Structures are given as C-alpha cells and as structure tokens.
Amino acid sequence: MTDSEITAVVDKLLIEEFELEPDQLKPEALFKDDLDLDSLDAVDMVIILEQEFKFKVKKDTAFRAIRSLGDLHAYVLQKKSEM
C-alpha cells in the first residue's frame, strides 16, 4: 500500500466513524478545533486504526502528541514503515 493509499484509508475511516465531510479533512485541520473531536473520539480512533492497520497504539506516547490530521497521517505512515 502506498503512502497516499494509506492516508486515503485514514481519511475514509475518519469520515465513516465521525461523520466528517471530506472537505474538512485537510492536513492542517486540528482534531479539537476544526473537526470537533474530543478525547473519547481519540479512543475510538485508536481502535479503528489498530483494526485497520494491525498495529498497536494504546501505549504509544507519540499518539498523544497528535493534534492535526497531518500529524495523524505522519504517525500512521511511520507505524506502517516499522512493520
């Protein structure tokens, strides 16, 4: 799977799980301020990412530093490259 395919899957998961509009999903979009997602949504995000990409997020402190969609894309790409 290419990097662009991975980011497209991440975006698709967010659209489906949180009922976001595709035009909201810009790399600079902040989860809290722009996408109106909270800490409970972050828990759901961890679950769907783990299920889709088959890696563990739960104890990874780097995940807690994610603030924007671009940060999330970079995080998922890094995790996939480590597999």
Side-chain angles (χ1 to χ4, degrees):
M1 189 179 285
T2 66
D3 289 358
S4 63
E5 289 171 333
I6 291 171
T7 58
V9 169
V10 170
D11 291 352
K12 178 179 159 273
L13 292 171
L14 295 176
I15 289 167
E16 291 174 358
E17 181 69 22
F18 303 112
E19 300 179 359
L20 299 172
E21 295 298 323
D23 64 343
Q24 291 178 283
L25 299 180
K26 299 174 180 150
E28 65 275 10
L30 299 172
F31 287 110
K32 183 177 179 185
D33 297 335
D34 298 323
L35 302 178
D36 200 29
L37 300 178
D38 59 24
S39 58
L40 292 177
D41 295 323
V43 173
D44 292 339
M45 193 180 312
V46 166
I47 294 168
I48 62 172
L49 291 173
E50 287 181 340
Q51 289 175 342
E52 180 67 28
F53 295 108
K54 312 296 184 213
F55 58 68
K56 291 292 181 190
V57 175
K58 291 180 182 168
K59 294 184 179 180
D60 191 344
T61 56
F63 187 80
R64 294 181 184 178
I66 293 172
R67 299 288 177 260
S68 70
L69 181 59
D71 294 343
L72 181 61
H73 288 157
Y75 176 83
V76 172
L77 292 172
Q78 178 64 37
K79 294 291 279 187
K80 289 296 288 177
S81 73
E82 295 171 357
M83 296 178 75

